[in-house]
Amino acid sequence: MAHPFLVKDIAFQAGLSTATVDRVLNGRPGVRRQTEMRVRAAIAELEKQQAGAMGSGRTLAIDIVMETPQRFSDTVRAAFEAEMAAFLPGVFRCRFHFAEVMRPAELVQLLDRIRLRGTHGIVLKAPDVAEVVAAVARADSAGIPVVTLVTDLPNSARIAYAGADNRTAGETAAYLIGEFFGSGGGQVLVTLSSGRFRGEEEREIGFRRVIRAYYPGIGITELSEGHGTDAATGTLAAAALAADPAINAVYSIGGGNRAVLAAFDAADRSIRVFVAHDLDADNRALLAAGRIGFVLHHDLRTDARSAFRAIMSRATAPRRAVPASLSSVEIVTPYNMPAGG
């Protein structure tokens, strides 16, 4: 079954797993005829989209809106720019709107300004608050598809979520820390950038569930509202350490890891195990230096591709449902760090 597309792209279009698509493409046994037909239809649809996009010369200009620390927005920008060059080159053009901290009113004002100016789609990382949900509804009513990135707004009018299963990621972190401590117990500092982000909340829920169920000897100390910035997160971490001399591990959900490590150093306290998220420049350096033990990573280029597919699907067939697609969570150590920026 000859085709020019990535297995991930075909799987996304067909609404199947990559393993199932791989079996179909390689003619392996155990595949139902109906499944094979779905894969063929997906390839045909991708070919139609590609021919239409390239033949018309149409460019889809979309807006990427994120409240996030710069170290993560730099990583996201690189992923989207790389995917733009590889994904039907010339079809997508991205305009980036990043800020480390935005009040909900500022974020809503930005989304409304983009809606009134016009766009082919919005990719959004934002807190799950009523004002933002209402702004997404206004964009959808104006015919502008919104895709949430890495943190979801499940009760909004967004057409798709692009990112990892955050609850599973939190459960994975709990397993790593729990197995590291064994029956000895410990006290984990869990750091969130803000409780307003659904993705971070889901990670924390997953983490607490597994700790409570399987590692009851491990305690949790939570800090939040440092917004992932070093200054605020460092201050909160120092206060938490001063208040609780038992803290000896970290699960960093929201970033600011250099500041957290500096707080431990200043207090002359050791960290037995440190689990973080995302392979940004800071975490790559800290992982390579042995300052953190594990990074839970998902491929942002996969997320960018999912967002592009969702927006293109809505542009070519407005009434068609957009299939769900979650990027997988990888456990990265200093010994299996993938190449990259």
Side-chain angles (χ1 to χ4, degrees):
M1 199 179 297
H3 63 89
F5 306 105
L6 296 173
V7 171
K8 290 180 180 180
D9 293 340
I10 300 171
F12 182 87
Q13 186 68 36
L16 299 169
S17 71
T18 54
T20 298
V21 172
D22 184 72
R23 286 200 301 273
V24 172
L25 295 177
N26 289 285
R28 297 193 180 98
V31 178
R32 293 183 301 171
R33 175 66 177 170
Q34 182 181 13
T35 302
E36 182 181 344
M37 290 174 63
R38 284 178 66 180
V39 172
R40 290 184 181 277
I43 292 173
E45 178 60 27
L46 290 173
E47 289 173 341
K48 179 181 176 182
Q49 290 179 7
Q50 184 180 54
M54 299 302 287
S56 67
R58 185 185 185 191
T59 297
L60 300 178
I62 65 174
D63 291 83
I64 320 297
V65 179
M66 299 177 63
E67 179 188 344
T68 193
Q70 184 177 344
R71 61 179 169 272
F72 187 62
S73 64
D74 287 346
T75 307
V76 170
R77 181 190 291 270
F80 271 81
E81 288 178 343
E83 199 57 30
M84 266 194 294
F87 183 99
L88 304 183
V91 171
F92 279 95
R93 179 166 59 86
C94 295
R95 297 174 291 230
F96 298 97
H97 313 268
F98 298 150
E100 292 201 322
V101 180
M102 274 193 281
R103 295 193 305 271
E106 294 171 328
L107 185 53
V108 166
Q109 185 179 50
L110 173 59
L111 291 172
D112 285 340
R113 189 164 65 244
I114 291 170
R115 171 175 57 83
L116 293 171
R117 181 204 62 205
T119 183
H120 292 108
I122 297 172
V123 179
L124 178 64
K125 178 186 180 291
D128 188 5
V129 295
E131 304 97 301
V132 173
V133 170
V136 171
R138 289 192 292 273
D140 183 72
S141 295
I144 297 169
V146 177
V147 177
T148 50
L149 180 70
V150 305
T151 183
D152 199 9
L153 303 174
N155 299 314
S156 73
R158 60 97 170 111
I159 65 165
Y161 163 69
D165 183 329
N166 284 303
R167 191 167 298 207
T168 297
E171 292 169 344
T172 302
Y175 174 78
L176 290 171
I177 291 174
E179 290 298 301
F180 186 92
F181 278 123
S183 59
Q187 188 73 20
V188 183
L189 181 65
V190 176
T191 68
L192 294 85
S193 71
S194 174
R196 300 175 303 147
F197 288 100
R198 176 64 68 105
E200 294 194 10
E201 180 185 55
E202 291 290 325
R203 291 174 183 178
E204 184 195 18
I205 289 170
F207 184 81
R208 286 184 180 274
R209 188 196 72 79
V210 171
I211 292 294
R212 183 172 56 248
Y214 300 105
Y215 308 103
I218 295 176
I220 296 172
T221 300
E222 178 189 323
L223 67 82
S224 184
E225 307 313 312
H227 301 286
T229 60
D230 285 344
T233 302
T235 299
L236 291 170
L241 292 174
D244 189 346
I247 294 173
N248 59 353
V250 177
Y251 173 36
S252 172
I253 293 175
N257 298 330
R258 288 190 182 277
V260 173
L261 289 165
F264 273 87
D265 291 343
D268 196 24
R269 300 269 288 276
S270 62
I271 303 174
R272 293 196 59 194
V273 58
F274 194 127
V275 178
H277 279 273
D278 304 317
L279 276 177
D280 56 33
D282 274 8
N283 283 344
R284 283 181 174 276
L286 294 172
L287 193 62
R291 298 302 310 275
I292 59 180
F294 304 97
V295 171
L296 300 179
H297 167 65
H298 68 279
D299 182 21
L300 286 167
R301 283 195 60 175
T302 297
D303 297 341
R305 190 179 311 125
S306 296
F308 288 164
R309 285 275 178 227
I311 291 169
M312 177 175 280
S313 176
R314 183 54 59 93
T316 56
R319 291 186 175 85
R320 180 184 301 161
V322 177
S325 178
L326 297 175
S327 48
S328 60
V329 176
E330 303 174 46
I331 301 171
V332 180
T333 73
Y335 301 99
N336 69 332
M337 197 174 354

